[in-house]
Amino acid sequence: MLNFKTALSFKYINRVNLNVLVKDSIRSSSKLGWSHMATESDLRDWKPPSKQNKFVTGLRLRNSLKHSENVEFVPEEGRKVKWYTCGPTVYDVAHMGHARTYIACDTIRSIMQNYLNYDVFFVENITDIDDKIIQRALKEGKEFSDVSSHWEREFWSDMLSLGVSLPDCITRVSDYVEEIVEFIERIVSNGYAYESEGSVYFDIEAFRSSGKHAYAKLEPNSFNDLNRILDAEGSLTEVSANKRSKSDFALWKRSKENEPSWDSPWGPGRPGWHIECSAMSSCIFEKGVFDIHSGGIDLRFPHHDNEIAQSEAYFDSNRWVNYFIHFGHLHIKGLKMSKSLKNFVSIKEMLSRYNRRQIRLLFLNARYDSTLNFNYDAEGMDETVKIDDELYNFFSRLNSRLSKPELEQKWSEEHLELSRMFERLKTEVHEAILDNFDTPEVLSLIRKFVTHVNTFMSDVTKTVNYTQALSFKEYLYRILGVFKLVEPGCEYGVDKEVSTSENEKKLLEELVNLRQKTRVFAQAALKSNSTEEAKSILKHCDHIRDVSLPNMGIILEDDGSSVVKYKSLHDQELERLRKEEKKKQREQLERERLEILSTPPEEYIHKSFPNKFGKLDEQYLPVEYIDGTPISKSERKSMEKVNEKVTLWFS
Amino acid sequence: MLNFKTALSFKYINRVNLNVLVKDSIRSSSKLGWSHMATESDLRDWKPPSKQNKFVTGLRLRNSLKHSENVEFVPEEGRKVKWYTCGPTVYDVAHMGHARTYIACDTIRSIMQNYLNYDVFFVENITDIDDKIIQRALKEGKEFSDVSSHWEREFWSDMLSLGVSLPDCITRVSDYVEEIVEFIERIVSNGYAYESEGSVYFDIEAFRSSGKHAYAKLEPNSFNDLNRILDAEGSLTEVSANKRSKSDFALWKRSKENEPSWDSPWGPGRPGWHIECSAMSSCIFEKGVFDIHSGGIDLRFPHHDNEIAQSEAYFDSNRWVNYFIHFGHLHIKGLKMSKSLKNFVSIKEMLSRYNRRQIRLLFLNARYDSTLNFNYDAEGMDETVKIDDELYNFFSRLNSRLSKPELEQKWSEEHLELSRMFERLKTEVHEAILDNFDTPEVLSLIRKFVTHVNTFMSDVTKTVNYTQALSFKEYLYRILGVFKLVEPGCEYGVDKEVSTSENEKKLLEELVNLRQKTRVFAQAALKSNSTEEAKSILKHCDHIRDVSLPNMGIILEDDGSSVVKYKSLHDQELERLRKEEKKKQREQLERERLEILSTPPEEYIHKSFPNKFGKLDEQYLPVEYIDGTPISKSERKSMEKVNEKVTLWFS
C-alpha cells in the first residue's frame, strides 16, 4: 500500500512520464492517431532527436528541414551517422559542378568521421536506370548497361583522382529493381499511389489529406512548380492522361518496346527517378529512419521532397530523415555549371591544369552550402594557388627548422605567447568547424597563424623551440589532413606518388650514383679497354647488394633476374635471432637427453649429483648420502621426480 | 519597483546563485575562510570540475585523487587538456620499466588527442639536478651538466625509437632554478616552510593545522612512511637536526663544496626533488590549476603528495590538479624492474630483439594502470608476436582483396550482417576506450573481428565487397594508428623507413635494373671490347633521366654531379602551362599594341572597323556611317572610348 508521500511522488513521476509520452507521440504521431488534430504546418515542423545517450559535439548545421536557422546535430543512435547521398546518373563525363558537390560532401564526411569522431556509415547510389542513359545508348547503338557501367567507372576514377573517399556502401539501381517494386506495392496498398496505364503514380492529394503527412517539407513554395516536376519525370516519359493530379509523379514507368524494362505487377517498365533512393536506403538502413540525406541543392525539389513523401507513405510515419544537407552550386559567369548549358569544365580537363590539392582548396575556401562563382581563366585560380604557395612555403620553412633537432630551450615569454596564440587557434578552428563546417574561416585562421609564425621566425632575435615547431606541424597537418590537403605520412605539397621518405631518398641516391658511375665507365670504355674500371663497377654493384640495400631493409638476391624481398631486414633479423635462440634451447635439451640416453640407469644419479649420494636401491634411487647417513623423505621424493623425468625422456 | 511575482523569482534566482556560491566556496574554501569548519577528510574529498561549456566525451578514468572508483573526465577549460608528466632523472640508460611508463603515457595522450579530439598540451620535465647525477659525475670525473645532457639525449633518442611523441613543451630543472627559489620564498612567506642550516623544509604540521589543506591526498596511509620519505630526499642529503618533524621534506638543499650549487637567499644550494614540478608547471600553466598530472605509480607518495602540498601552499588553495594518473609498474619475476635491483633490460637491448610495434603491443595488451609481468626469455613475447602476426597476416590478406578493385556487388544479407558486426565493433571499441582506456579489450575486440572476417573470406561462396574491405581497413588503421601500431601512410608491419610506396617500388626497380645491366656489361667488358654495349648502356642511362624519373615526378639534371629536384613534375608542368598561358595573353596584348603603334591615327578607325564609317573629324572620330548617315550619340560615345584606350596605349 502506498502512503500519502509515496503516492504524491508517484503522481509526480507519472506526470513526468506523461510529458515524455506527449512529446514522443508528436514525433510518431501517425501511429497513435493524434495526428488528425495536427495541421499540415504542424506536421512539417522539424524536431531534433533526443540527446539522451547520444554523442553530442556541439556541431550545428544547416538542415533543409528547418528553414530558418542552423540546428544542433544529434545522431539517431549513439555516435552513428547513417548517411545516404545522391550519387550521379551515369551517362556522361563528370564536370567541375560534380566535383564541387562530391568534394564538399567528402570534406564534411571526413570532418565528421576523422575530426569529430562520429561513426559515419556513408551510402551513395548510382542511378544507372534513367532516360538520359537510354537516349545515349540508343544514339550510340550500344547496350544500355554498357553505357552506364562505362560512365560509372569513369565517375569513380574521377572521384579517386580528386581524393574523394569511396562510400562505405554503393547501391546501384539496376541491382534493386525487385525491392523497388515491393516498395511501390506497399505504397499502393497503404493508399498513397495508384496504377494508370501500366505506370504507377504517387497520389499527392491522398498523402496530404491523410492528416498524417505534409508534402514538400523542403520547399513548400515549389509545390506547384510543374516545370521542375515534369523535368524530373524524364524526357522519354509519356505522361498518362489519367493522372489524378498534374503534380503526381511516377513511381513506376511503363517502358516502350525499345526501352529497357523489368517485370512488375503493372507490366514491363522501369522505376521512376525518385523512388530508387527511398527504396534503396531502406534496404541498407533497415530501421527506416536515418541521420543525413544529402545532395546538390537542385535536388531539394522535387527529388528529395518526393523521396520524403514516398518514404513516409511506405513507413506510414511522419519522420524519415533527421537532417537534409544540400551542397551549393558551382556557377560560371553567373550560371549554374551544367551539361545542358554546355558551360562545363570536365574534371579531367581541370586536373590537367591544377592538382587535386588546389581544386580542393578552391572549394574549401567557400562554405559547402554556398553558391561558388568559378572563373575558368588564367586569373580564376590565382587566389587558390596563392594560398597553396603560402602553405607550401610555410611548411618548407618549418621543416627546415625541424631538420635541426636540439635540446629544448627554456620557454621565454615569447614562446609562451606563441603557445597561447596556438591554443587560441585550435579553439577557434574547432568553433569554426562546429559552425556548419565553416572551412573558409578555418583556412583564414590558419593563414593568420602562419603569417604570425613566419614573422616570428624571420626575427633573428627569436627562435621557435623544436617541440613547438613540431606541435604546430602535427596539428596543422592533422587539420589539413582531415581536409585532404596533406596525404597521410607525406609532406604538404608532396603527393604520395612523390613521397620523399628517407628510404626513397636513399634509393634514389643509390640509383643516381650507380647511373653516374656507369655512364663515366661506359664513356671511358668507348675510348679505352681498361678492365680496372670494370672491376670497380662490379665491386660497387656488390656493395649495393651487400651493404646499401640491407641498410634500407631490402634483400636483393643475385639469381639471373635479381629477386627483391621487401620484408624489413630488421624484422627478419629479429625473427632469425629468436629462432636461433629457440633452436639453441632445443639443442641444449637434446644434448641433455642424449647424455642421459648414453648413461646406464645405475650411473645416472651419481653422474648428475656427483659426490652427493652413496648406495642406490633397485629403482636406482639413493638410500643414503655419501657419508652413509640416510636421505630425508623430501630428498627421496625429489629424486623420484628426477627419475620420472628421466624415464619420460627414455620413452 | 519589483512586483510580488518578480520578487519571488528574484528570490529563487538568489537561492540558486547561493547554491552555486556554496559549492564554489567549498572548492576554493581557503579564500573565503569557510574551511575552518572543514575536516581534513572533507578537504581531501575530490570534486569534479563543472561540466558547463565543457567538451564531454564520456571518458571515465582512474583518478588517484578519488580512490574508490573511476570518474568522468571533465576539462578545466573547454576542450583543453593541460597535462604535466614527470619525466626521467637523467643519469643512466633507460630500461623497459621506463618504456612501460612512457609508452603507456604516450598511448593515452594519443587517444585523447587523436581519437577523442581533446586539445592536449603536454608538458614533460627533465630532472637534471639530482644526487644520482652528482654521484655519477663525481665517480666518472665528468662535468655534472655533461652527464645530464648526455643521458637526456639518450632518453629522447630511446623515446623516438619507441615511437613516443615528443612533448609539446619540455621543462629542464636547471633552466628554472630562479623560479624555483621564488616559488619557495612564497611558500615560506605563506607560513608553510622554514629555513634550517641553509636548507628549507616544508612544514607539514603548519600545512595540516591550517584547516585549509589536507596532506597526502593520494596516499593518506603512507603519511608516516619514513623510509620512502627519506629515500626521496636523495642519498647525498644531510638531514638537518633542526627539522621540526621527521616527515618534513626539503624544498631547498644546502650544497657541499664539491656539489653543484646555485645562489639563494639561504646560501648556495640546489632545489629539492619535489619542488621542481610544482614550480615548473606553474611557469607553463600560468593559472595554477591544470587537468592531468601523471607519472609512474611509485611517484604517488611522497613525490606527488608533496607536490600537491607545495602547490597548495604556494597558491593557498585547496585545488591544484584535477586528475592524477599513475602508470603501473613493469615486474620481472615478481619484482619491479629497476636500476637498483639490477633486474632491468635496457630499451636498446629490447629493440635489438623486438621491433617497436611489438613492444607497444606488449604494453597495449595490459591496462596502462595495471602491473605488468614481463618475462624476458624466448617465450616471454610469444603472445605478443602471435598477435602481431595475426594482424600482419590479416592486413596482407585484406590488401590482396583491395588490389583487385571492382564495381560494387549488391549487398546480400551476408554483407549486411558483416556490416552490422563492423558497426558493433566500432561501438564496443569506443566504449572500451572510454572505460579508462581499456586497450587490452580493444585488442581483443579487434582480434575477434579479424577472426570473423578471415573466416568470411575463407568461404569460397562469399565475397567481401571492395568498399567494405576498404572501410574495415581504414577504420582499423585509424585505431591502430592512434595506438601507433601503424605508421601514417604505411601498411601494417611496414616501418616508414621500409615503406613500399609505389614510387619507391619503381625506383628500386630502376636501380636493380640498371645494376643488372651494368654488371652484365662490365662482365662482358672484362672479356671483349665491344662499344655497342657501351652505347646501349648510355642510352639506358638517358632513358632513366628522360622517361623513368620524370614519370615519378623527379627531375634529374646532368651536370657534373647530377642534381635531383623533388618538386612534382606534374605541379611544375601545371605551373609552366599557367605561365605560358599568361605569357600568351601578354603577347597578344603586345601585338595589338604594336599594331596600333604602326597605324597612323587617321587610319585607325577605318582599319579597326572596316567598311563601317565614312568621314572622320579632327579627333579622327567618325561623324557618319559609310552610307553617309550620321552616327548615333551612343555610337559616338563608344568610339570615344575606343579612342581613349588607343591614346592610353600610345602613352
Side-chain angles (χ1 to χ4, degrees):
Chain A
M1 299 253 276
L2 295 169
N3 64 19
F4 182 67
K5 214 173 158 185
T6 320
L8 246 186
S9 62
F10 187 70
K11 195 176 157 194
Y12 175 70
I13 288 166
N14 262 359
R15 202 162 48 187
V16 171
N17 285 348
L18 196 62
N19 250 324
V20 173
L21 275 177
V22 169
K23 279 182 188 158
D24 276 356
S25 71
I26 290 173
R27 291 180 61 193
S28 59
S29 52
S30 59
K31 283 175 187 153
L32 288 171
W34 280 64
S35 52
H36 290 291
M37 288 175 288
T39 66
E40 194 163 4
S41 157
D42 288 342
L43 289 165
R44 184 170 282 130
D45 206 21
W46 178 81
K47 284 171 203 73
S50 142
K51 284 195 191 182
Q52 211 173 358
N53 296 322
K54 302 297 176 59
F55 182 68
V56 176
T57 59
L59 171 66
R60 298 182 69 80
L61 45 80
R62 191 178 170 84
N63 182 0
S64 301
L65 286 164
K66 178 84 178 175
H67 307 268
S68 48
E69 51 183 338
N70 291 348
V71 293
E72 184 166 9
F73 178 76
V74 182
E76 181 69 12
E77 182 196 342
R79 275 170 61 246
K80 305 276 171 219
V81 178
K82 282 169 268 181
W83 188 337
Y84 180 97
T85 204
C86 283
T89 302
V90 281
Y91 74 105
D92 209 338
V93 70
H95 57 65
M96 282 292 284
H98 300 107
R100 169 87 208 279
T101 298
Y102 296 108
I103 287 180
C105 188
D106 188 56
T107 301
I108 66 175
R109 175 187 172 198
S110 176
I111 292 174
M112 290 189 83
Q113 187 163 295
N114 301 315
Y115 180 78
L116 295 173
N117 200 21
Y118 290 100
D119 270 350
V120 178
F121 181 54
F122 184 85
V123 182
E124 184 168 340
N125 77 306
I126 290 288
T127 301
D128 66 343
I129 302 180
D130 185 272
D131 289 4
K132 294 196 194 82
I133 306 171
I134 299 174
Q135 281 173 307
R136 181 147 190 166
L138 289 173
K139 197 173 131 195
E140 297 183 347
K142 282 182 184 161
E143 275 295 311
F144 165 76
S145 59
D146 287 347
V147 171
S148 60
S149 65
H150 168 77
W151 291 112
E152 182 183 343
R153 271 176 228 278
E154 283 293 302
F155 174 74
W156 294 124
S157 147
D158 282 344
M159 290 302 109
L160 289 179
S161 61
L162 292 171
V164 172
S165 293
L166 281 179
D168 296 299
C169 169
I170 299 167
T171 57
R172 194 178 301 107
V173 182
S174 61
D175 288 336
Y176 285 87
V177 177
E178 209 173 304
E179 287 86 348
I180 291 172
V181 167
E182 281 168 21
F183 200 90
I184 298 172
E185 284 185 301
R186 180 142 146 206
I187 297 178
V188 172
S189 79
N190 283 355
Y192 295 114
Y194 55 91
E195 189 264 343
S196 173
E197 298 173 359
S199 293
V200 180
Y201 294 97
F202 191 81
D203 190 337
I204 293 182
E205 194 41 43
F207 185 71
R208 291 186 69 197
S209 62
S210 69
K212 303 178 192 173
H213 310 284
Y215 178 67
K217 281 184 168 177
L218 299 169
E219 284 196 20
N221 298 332
S222 301
F223 183 89
N224 280 317
D225 193 338
L226 270 185
N227 278 343
R228 285 161 76 198
I229 292 168
L230 288 178
D231 193 46
E233 293 295 275
S235 54
L236 296 176
T237 307
E238 299 172 318
V239 178
S240 163
N242 297 328
K243 259 171 67 172
R244 293 183 189 163
S245 151
K246 282 181 178 171
S247 307
D248 287 355
F249 53 91
L251 303 181
W252 184 259
K253 307 197 288 189
R254 185 167 65 92
S255 287
K256 278 169 284 184
E257 286 265 315
N258 61 345
E259 292 167 358
S261 72
W262 287 260
D263 285 342
S264 85
W266 318 286
R270 59 188 190 271
W273 177 32
H274 316 301
I275 196 69
E276 60 187 57
C277 297
S278 296
M280 292 191 299
S281 66
S282 81
C283 291
I284 304 299
F285 304 128
E286 289 151 313
K287 285 177 189 165
V289 174
F290 58 93
D291 298 284
I292 298 181
H293 193 317
S294 61
I297 185 77
D298 54 323
L299 298 183
R300 202 164 53 182
F301 185 87
H303 188 54
H304 287 165
D305 264 330
N306 288 349
E307 279 187 35
I308 295 173
Q310 295 161 164
S311 300
E312 286 193 18
Y314 177 87
F315 292 109
D316 218 353
S317 154
N318 185 36
R319 193 167 67 101
W320 179 45
V321 169
N322 290 330
Y323 300 86
F324 257 94
I325 289 180
H326 290 105
F327 307 109
H329 276 154
L330 189 69
H331 278 196
I332 190 158
K333 309 230 186 261
L335 288 171
K336 180 196 162 193
M337 182 178 284
S338 75
K339 201 68 206 151
S340 49
L341 292 175
K342 295 198 173 70
N343 63 350
F344 66 92
V345 178
S346 76
I347 291 170
K348 286 188 177 61
E349 194 179 340
M350 189 70 182
L351 279 167
S352 72
R353 291 164 54 113
Y354 300 94
N355 62 39
R356 77 163 169 228
R357 191 180 62 253
Q358 290 162 337
I359 298 173
R360 293 190 79 113
L361 253 177
L362 169 74
F363 297 144
L364 282 162
N365 210 17
R367 292 186 84 129
Y368 75 91
D369 55 353
S370 69
T371 300
L372 178 65
N373 283 305
F374 171 63
N375 292 313
Y376 186 65
D377 52 36
E379 279 78 32
M381 288 286 285
D382 278 1
E383 168 74 4
T384 304
V385 172
K386 192 181 150 230
I387 302 176
D388 188 30
D389 285 346
E390 252 176 57
L391 293 171
Y392 180 80
N393 292 331
F394 173 70
F395 288 117
S396 300
R397 202 164 178 181
L398 209 58
N399 281 336
S400 137
R401 167 70 191 89
L402 289 169
S403 66
K404 302 169 206 85
E406 58 176 23
L407 289 185
E408 188 90 342
Q409 301 294 306
K410 185 183 176 186
W411 279 38
S412 65
E413 178 50 31
E414 287 154 13
H415 297 118
L416 287 167
E417 177 55 33
L418 207 53
S419 171
R420 280 189 290 264
M421 188 166 289
F422 180 48
E423 292 302 317
R424 265 200 303 282
L425 170 75
K426 291 193 273 185
T427 302
E428 287 169 3
V429 163
H430 188 72
E431 280 164 7
I433 285 175
L434 293 185
D435 180 15
N436 195 29
F437 309 105
D438 193 349
T439 54
E441 176 65 12
V442 173
L443 285 182
S444 155
L445 290 163
I446 287 177
R447 290 173 70 193
K448 272 182 218 151
F449 180 74
V450 159
T451 304
H452 188 87
V453 178
N454 270 330
T455 312
F456 190 94
M457 289 198 290
S458 302
D459 187 337
V460 288
T461 68
K462 294 173 179 173
T463 51
V464 181
N465 247 318
Y466 188 84
T467 51
Q468 245 180 336
L470 195 62
S471 301
F472 295 167
K473 182 179 165 181
E474 281 183 355
Y475 171 74
L476 292 173
Y477 270 29
R478 184 172 164 234
I479 298 298
L480 299 178
V482 168
F483 287 180
K484 303 200 182 167
L485 299 177
V486 181
E487 295 190 39
C490 294
E491 297 295 346
Y492 188 93
V494 180
D495 296 344
K496 202 160 187 178
E497 306 91 65
V498 196
S499 153
T500 52
S501 75
E502 274 316 298
N503 214 30
E504 197 176 312
K505 276 185 194 158
K506 286 186 212 155
L507 260 173
L508 183 59
E509 213 178 293
E510 283 298 330
L511 176 60
V512 170
N513 215 341
L514 174 63
R515 179 181 159 281
Q516 188 67 7
K517 286 203 176 189
T518 307
R519 285 180 83 237
V520 172
F521 166 66
Q523 278 159 345
L526 286 174
K527 292 167 198 157
S528 77
N529 304 318
S530 162
T531 59
E532 274 313 299
E533 279 121 344
K535 277 181 192 160
S536 147
I537 209 166
L538 282 170
K539 212 171 152 190
H540 183 83
C541 286
D542 288 348
H543 184 83
I544 292 177
R545 181 196 56 206
D546 300 334
V547 181
S548 310
L549 290 179
N551 280 344
M552 292 179 228
I554 294 166
I555 305 159
L556 183 67
E557 284 173 5
D558 257 333
D559 65 1
S561 58
S562 293
V563 174
V564 173
K565 285 189 178 163
Y566 254 104
K567 199 168 183 183
S568 140
L569 186 69
H570 181 57
D571 275 15
Q572 290 194 15
E573 177 66 11
L574 296 179
E575 275 170 24
R576 196 187 59 73
L577 284 173
R578 285 199 293 277
K579 273 185 194 154
E580 207 165 76
E581 198 168 322
K582 285 195 180 177
K583 194 181 155 209
K584 270 186 199 156
Q585 283 186 350
R586 272 200 311 277
E587 283 169 358
Q588 176 63 24
L589 286 173
E590 189 58 23
R591 265 196 303 279
E592 287 174 17
R593 195 170 162 266
L594 286 174
E595 172 77 18
I596 289 166
L597 280 173
S598 65
T599 307
E602 63 275 22
E603 280 175 29
Y604 178 72
I605 286 291
H606 286 132
K607 202 163 179 177
S608 302
F609 306 92
N611 298 323
K612 186 166 181 187
F613 298 111
K615 262 198 290 189
L616 307 179
D617 62 12
E618 68 285 357
Q619 292 177 282
Y620 309 119
L621 286 174
V623 291
E624 54 173 42
Y625 292 109
I626 197 158
D627 62 3
T629 55
I631 67 167
S632 66
K633 273 192 179 172
S634 65
E635 185 89 70
R636 168 81 190 181
K637 277 208 171 141
S638 77
M639 283 305 110
E640 275 169 2
K641 273 187 190 156
V642 168
N643 223 19
E644 271 165 29
K645 218 170 149 191
V646 172
T647 315
L648 273 173
W649 277 356
F650 275 107
S651 66
Chain B
M1 299 250 281
L2 293 169
N3 64 22
F4 181 67
K5 212 173 158 186
T6 320
L8 246 185
S9 62
F10 187 69
K11 195 177 155 193
Y12 175 71
I13 288 165
N14 262 0
R15 203 166 46 187
V16 171
N17 285 347
L18 195 66
N19 248 325
V20 173
L21 274 176
V22 170
K23 279 184 188 157
D24 276 355
S25 72
I26 290 172
R27 293 179 59 192
S28 60
S29 52
S30 58
K31 282 176 188 157
L32 288 172
W34 278 65
S35 54
H36 290 291
M37 288 176 288
T39 65
E40 194 162 6
S41 157
D42 288 342
L43 290 165
R44 184 168 284 130
D45 206 21
W46 177 82
K47 283 172 203 70
S50 142
K51 283 194 191 182
Q52 212 170 0
N53 295 323
K54 303 296 178 57
F55 181 68
V56 177
T57 58
L59 170 67
R60 298 182 69 81
L61 44 79
R62 190 177 170 84
N63 182 1
S64 302
L65 285 164
K66 179 83 180 176
H67 306 268
S68 47
E69 50 185 336
N70 291 350
V71 294
E72 185 167 9
F73 177 76
V74 182
E76 182 68 11
E77 182 197 342
R79 276 170 60 247
K80 305 276 171 218
V81 177
K82 283 169 270 183
W83 187 337
Y84 181 97
T85 203
C86 284
T89 302
V90 281
Y91 74 104
D92 209 338
V93 70
H95 56 63
M96 282 292 284
H98 300 108
R100 168 83 207 279
T101 297
Y102 297 108
I103 286 180
C105 188
D106 188 56
T107 301
I108 66 174
R109 175 187 172 199
S110 177
I111 292 174
M112 290 189 84
Q113 187 162 296
N114 301 317
Y115 180 79
L116 295 173
N117 200 20
Y118 290 100
D119 270 351
V120 177
F121 181 55
F122 184 86
V123 182
E124 183 167 340
N125 77 308
I126 289 288
T127 300
D128 66 342
I129 303 180
D130 185 274
D131 289 5
K132 294 195 194 83
I133 306 171
I134 300 173
Q135 280 174 307
R136 179 142 191 171
L138 289 173
K139 198 174 133 197
E140 296 184 347
K142 283 185 184 159
E143 274 298 309
F144 165 73
S145 59
D146 288 346
V147 171
S148 60
S149 65
H150 167 77
W151 291 111
E152 183 183 343
R153 271 176 228 279
E154 284 292 304
F155 174 74
W156 293 124
S157 148
D158 282 344
M159 289 303 109
L160 287 179
S161 61
L162 291 172
V164 172
S165 292
L166 281 179
D168 296 299
C169 170
I170 299 167
T171 57
R172 195 179 299 104
V173 182
S174 61
D175 288 335
Y176 286 87
V177 177
E178 210 172 303
E179 287 86 346
I180 291 171
V181 167
E182 281 167 23
F183 200 92
I184 297 172
E185 283 184 302
R186 180 144 147 203
I187 298 177
V188 172
S189 79
N190 283 354
Y192 295 115
Y194 56 91
E195 188 265 342
S196 173
E197 300 173 357
S199 292
V200 179
Y201 295 95
F202 190 83
D203 191 336
I204 291 180
E205 193 42 41
F207 185 74
R208 291 187 68 196
S209 61
S210 69
K212 303 177 192 174
H213 308 283
Y215 179 67
K217 281 183 169 177
L218 298 168
E219 284 196 19
N221 298 334
S222 299
F223 184 89
N224 281 318
D225 193 338
L226 270 184
N227 277 344
R228 284 162 77 196
I229 293 168
L230 289 177
D231 192 45
E233 293 294 275
S235 54
L236 297 174
T237 308
E238 297 173 319
V239 177
S240 162
N242 295 329
K243 260 171 65 172
R244 292 184 189 163
S245 151
K246 282 182 178 168
S247 307
D248 289 355
F249 53 91
L251 303 180
W252 185 261
K253 308 196 289 190
R254 185 166 66 92
S255 286
K256 280 169 283 186
E257 288 264 314
N258 61 346
E259 292 167 358
S261 72
W262 287 259
D263 284 343
S264 85
W266 317 285
R270 59 188 190 273
W273 176 33
H274 317 300
I275 196 68
E276 60 186 59
C277 297
S278 296
M280 293 191 299
S281 66
S282 81
C283 291
I284 304 298
F285 305 127
E286 289 151 314
K287 288 178 188 164
V289 174
F290 58 93
D291 298 283
I292 298 181
H293 193 317
S294 61
I297 186 77
D298 53 323
L299 299 182
R300 202 163 55 181
F301 185 89
H303 187 54
H304 287 164
D305 264 330
N306 288 349
E307 279 187 36
I308 296 172
Q310 294 162 163
S311 300
E312 286 194 18
Y314 176 86
F315 292 108
D316 219 352
S317 155
N318 184 36
R319 192 168 67 102
W320 179 45
V321 169
N322 290 331
Y323 300 87
F324 258 94
I325 289 179
H326 289 104
F327 306 109
H329 276 154
L330 190 69
H331 278 197
I332 191 158
K333 310 234 184 254
L335 288 171
K336 180 196 160 192
M337 181 179 284
S338 76
K339 200 69 208 151
S340 50
L341 292 176
K342 295 197 174 73
N343 62 351
F344 67 93
V345 178
S346 78
I347 290 170
K348 286 185 179 61
E349 193 180 340
M350 189 70 182
L351 277 167
S352 72
R353 290 166 53 117
Y354 300 94
N355 62 38
R356 76 165 169 228
R357 193 179 60 253
Q358 290 162 337
I359 297 174
R360 293 190 79 114
L361 253 178
L362 169 74
F363 296 144
L364 281 162
N365 210 16
R367 292 186 84 128
Y368 75 91
D369 56 353
S370 69
T371 300
L372 178 65
N373 283 305
F374 171 64
N375 292 312
Y376 187 63
D377 52 37
E379 278 79 31
M381 288 287 285
D382 278 1
E383 168 73 2
T384 304
V385 172
K386 189 179 153 233
I387 300 176
D388 188 30
D389 286 345
E390 249 175 59
L391 293 172
Y392 181 80
N393 293 333
F394 173 69
F395 288 117
S396 300
R397 201 164 179 183
L398 210 56
N399 281 336
S400 137
R401 167 71 191 88
L402 289 169
S403 68
K404 301 170 208 85
E406 57 176 23
L407 289 185
E408 188 91 343
Q409 301 293 309
K410 184 183 177 185
W411 280 38
S412 64
E413 177 52 31
E414 285 154 16
H415 297 118
L416 287 167
E417 178 54 34
L418 207 53
S419 171
R420 281 189 289 264
M421 189 166 286
F422 180 47
E423 292 302 317
R424 265 201 302 281
L425 170 74
K426 291 194 272 185
T427 302
E428 287 169 2
V429 163
H430 188 72
E431 280 163 7
I433 285 175
L434 293 185
D435 179 18
N436 195 28
F437 309 104
D438 193 348
T439 55
E441 175 65 11
V442 173
L443 285 181
S444 153
L445 288 165
I446 287 177
R447 289 172 71 193
K448 272 182 219 152
F449 180 73
V450 160
T451 304
H452 188 85
V453 178
N454 271 331
T455 311
F456 190 93
M457 290 198 289
S458 302
D459 187 335
V460 287
T461 67
K462 293 172 180 174
T463 52
V464 180
N465 247 319
Y466 188 83
T467 52
Q468 246 183 335
L470 196 62
S471 302
F472 295 168
K473 182 179 167 183
E474 282 184 354
Y475 171 74
L476 292 172
Y477 270 29
R478 186 171 163 234
I479 298 298
L480 299 177
V482 168
F483 288 179
K484 303 200 183 169
L485 299 179
V486 180
E487 295 192 38
C490 294
E491 297 295 345
Y492 188 96
V494 179
D495 295 343
K496 203 161 185 174
E497 307 93 64
V498 196
S499 153
T500 51
S501 75
E502 274 315 298
N503 215 30
E504 197 176 314
K505 277 186 194 157
K506 287 186 212 155
L507 260 172
L508 183 59
E509 211 178 296
E510 283 299 328
L511 176 61
V512 169
N513 212 342
L514 174 63
R515 179 181 161 281
Q516 188 66 7
K517 285 201 176 191
T518 308
R519 285 180 84 233
V520 171
F521 167 65
Q523 278 160 343
L526 285 174
K527 292 168 198 156
S528 78
N529 304 320
S530 163
T531 59
E532 275 313 301
E533 278 121 345
K535 278 180 193 163
S536 147
I537 210 166
L538 281 171
K539 214 170 148 189
H540 184 84
C541 286
D542 289 348
H543 184 83
I544 291 176
R545 181 195 57 206
D546 301 333
V547 180
S548 310
L549 289 179
N551 281 343
M552 290 179 227
I554 294 166
I555 304 158
L556 183 66
E557 285 172 6
D558 256 333
D559 66 0
S561 60
S562 294
V563 174
V564 173
K565 284 186 178 162
Y566 255 104
K567 199 170 184 182
S568 136
L569 186 71
H570 181 59
D571 274 15
Q572 290 194 14
E573 176 66 9
L574 296 179
E575 275 170 25
R576 196 187 59 72
L577 283 175
R578 284 198 293 277
K579 274 184 194 156
E580 208 165 77
E581 199 169 323
K582 285 191 180 180
K583 196 180 154 210
K584 269 186 201 158
Q585 283 186 349
R586 273 199 311 277
E587 284 169 356
Q588 177 63 23
L589 286 174
E590 189 58 21
R591 263 195 306 279
E592 287 175 18
R593 194 169 163 266
L594 287 175
E595 173 77 16
I596 290 165
L597 280 172
S598 65
T599 307
E602 64 273 20
E603 280 176 27
Y604 179 72
I605 286 292
H606 285 133
K607 203 164 177 176
S608 302
F609 305 91
N611 299 322
K612 187 166 182 186
F613 299 110
K615 263 197 291 189
L616 307 179
D617 62 14
E618 66 285 356
Q619 291 176 279
Y620 309 118
L621 286 173
V623 290
E624 54 173 41
Y625 292 108
I626 197 157
D627 62 1
T629 56
I631 66 166
S632 65
K633 274 192 177 171
S634 64
E635 184 89 69
R636 168 82 191 181
K637 277 208 170 142
S638 76
M639 284 305 112
E640 276 168 2
K641 273 186 190 156
V642 168
N643 222 17
E644 272 166 28
K645 215 170 149 190
V646 173
T647 317
L648 275 172
W649 277 357
F650 276 108
S651 64

